[in-house]
Amino acid sequence: MYNLSCYNPASFTLVGIPGLEKFHIWIGIPFCVIYVVAIVGNCILLYLIAVEQSLHEPMFIFLSMLASTDLILSTATVPKLLSNLWFGSQEITFSGCLTQMFFLHFSFVVDSAILLAMAFDRYVAICLPLRYSTILTPQVIVKIMVSIIVRSFSVILPDVFLLRRLPFCKTRVIPHTYCEHIGVARLSSADISINIWYGFSVPLMTVISDVILIAVSYIFILRAVFLLSSQGARQKALSTCGSHICVILMFYTPAFFSILAHRFGHSVPRNVLILFANFYVAIPPALNPVVYGVKTKQIQDKFLLFFSLRKTQ
């Protein structure tokens, strides 16, 4: 019975942010605001793309997929964080922990693949404009979206089984606000070398390959832009990439900083690392619709039209 309880624990305890317990209520307020902005912003974005025929283009279809993934990422982490900070609800079931871990990592890999697909879209639009409609057909878009989901699912699903095989007999206290693969695996008294190898290398290599391909796409894009004779044409071409570049920087920069901080930043206080990790999963989903709303004229126009019609009703 003892061994069975080790391999199938009832629950884990999420500590929250150690050392900042007396500030938990105040820390929860900005996270709540950010979460509301993320939900409202992404839902409006999805609504506009769904109802406006002029936004049924490949770039906006990929953007709708990004907004959907951002909703999953926010909802998988922030509500549990707020219940922990405000109501002291630290317990999470083993199955709940595995579910949260899966959707957290799955969303990250999907987001990375979507940014690659959007870079490919910009490459075709700028470098091969006359063939844009023949290359990015609806059938091709569907195949890209399905391949993104299948690849991400295949990469992250083994994490669930790698955790389920481990015994958790010593401690079930997770010094964090959410469940992530390596953090949970380190609670086990068994050998977790496979978890560490797979958990770091496979998803990381998947994301790094996306980054390399995005960089290659933009090398070709910049080359094509600087070959244009008109200064106005260059600015117009680059402006179509502005929002995508902003989202790329918001997504990858904190991610790699967080990885480096956990690997080499041993002098950084743990509560600072946990706060940074929570801001990373909360802020990009809230900022992405804002960036695209501000920097993409089609969305900006439809957004203003939507609210002007609401006011006149």
Side-chain angles (χ1 to χ4, degrees):
M1 289 293 292
Y2 175 75
N3 286 337
L4 286 175
S5 66
C6 285
Y7 281 96
N8 191 24
S11 63
F12 289 102
T13 300
L14 294 167
V15 172
I17 306 174
L20 297 176
E21 286 83 3
K22 60 182 178 180
F23 302 109
H24 273 185
I25 292 176
W26 300 105
I27 293 170
I29 294 173
F31 281 105
C32 181
V33 173
I34 292 168
Y35 180 61
V36 171
V37 171
I39 296 298
V40 173
N42 284 293
C43 285
I44 290 174
L45 195 60
L46 287 169
Y47 175 78
L48 290 176
I49 293 171
V51 300
E52 292 295 338
Q53 193 68 33
S54 62
L55 297 180
H56 292 178
E57 299 176 8
M59 181 177 74
F60 298 112
I61 293 172
F62 290 136
L63 181 57
S64 67
M65 193 176 181
L66 183 69
S68 302
T69 310
D70 284 342
L71 286 173
I72 293 172
L73 177 60
S74 296
T75 306
T77 53
V78 180
K80 182 59 184 174
L81 166 68
L82 293 177
S83 69
N84 191 326
L85 296 179
W86 285 348
F87 308 111
S89 177
Q90 296 182 321
E91 189 175 67
I92 185 170
T93 63
F94 184 46
S95 58
C97 186
L98 293 178
T99 303
Q100 186 185 54
M101 180 273 299
F102 172 81
F103 281 110
L104 173 70
H105 296 310
F106 175 77
S107 301
F108 181 80
V109 177
V110 169
D111 271 352
S112 180
I114 295 169
L115 292 176
L116 173 59
M118 295 172 87
F120 177 67
D121 170 81
R122 291 300 84 204
Y123 163 76
V124 177
I126 293 172
C127 299
L128 304 166
L130 298 178
R131 297 175 57 195
Y132 183 80
S133 58
T134 57
I135 293 175
L136 289 173
T137 62
Q139 293 81 6
V140 170
I141 298 299
V142 170
K143 288 178 182 178
I144 291 173
M145 294 172 71
V146 170
S147 65
I148 287 172
I149 294 171
V150 170
R151 187 194 76 158
S152 304
F153 187 84
S154 302
V155 167
I156 301 302
L157 186 62
D159 287 348
V160 176
F161 296 102
L162 287 172
L163 282 180
R164 288 192 68 88
R165 72 183 182 88
L166 295 175
F168 297 94
C169 300
K170 287 186 176 180
T171 180
R172 293 167 190 171
V173 177
I174 302 171
H176 212 300
T177 57
Y178 55 75
C179 298
E180 54 92 18
H181 178 210
I182 302 301
V184 177
R186 282 177 175 154
L187 300 180
S188 177
S189 55
D191 180 20
I192 62 168
S193 56
I194 297 176
N195 295 71
I196 293 173
W197 176 83
Y198 188 88
F200 277 124
S201 63
V202 177
L204 195 60
M205 290 306 298
T206 304
V207 173
I208 287 174
S209 65
D210 291 343
V211 173
I212 292 170
L213 291 172
I214 290 171
V216 171
S217 298
Y218 271 97
I219 289 171
F220 284 110
I221 288 170
L222 291 173
R223 178 175 171 272
V225 167
F226 287 117
L227 287 175
L228 296 172
S229 56
S230 168
Q231 180 69 22
R234 291 178 191 173
Q235 289 180 348
K236 185 178 179 181
L238 288 174
S239 67
T240 62
C241 302
S243 51
H244 183 235
I245 292 171
C246 288
V247 171
I248 287 172
L249 292 175
M250 287 192 305
F251 179 77
Y252 287 116
T253 305
F256 287 120
F257 177 80
S258 181
I259 291 168
L260 291 173
H262 277 88
R263 180 67 182 85
F264 303 107
H266 302 296
S267 60
V268 180
R270 182 158 189 84
N271 51 22
V272 174
L273 292 176
I274 292 173
L275 263 177
F276 184 84
N278 280 281
F279 276 119
Y280 171 65
V281 298
I283 290 178
L287 288 183
N288 287 348
V290 175
V291 168
Y292 273 96
V294 171
K295 297 187 74 68
T296 307
K297 192 175 186 306
Q298 297 101 310
I299 293 177
Q300 193 179 63
D301 292 343
K302 298 301 179 185
F303 182 79
L304 294 173
L305 180 63
F306 171 74
F307 277 97
S308 63
L309 288 174
R310 298 280 291 183
K311 286 181 181 179
T312 57
Q313 288 177 354

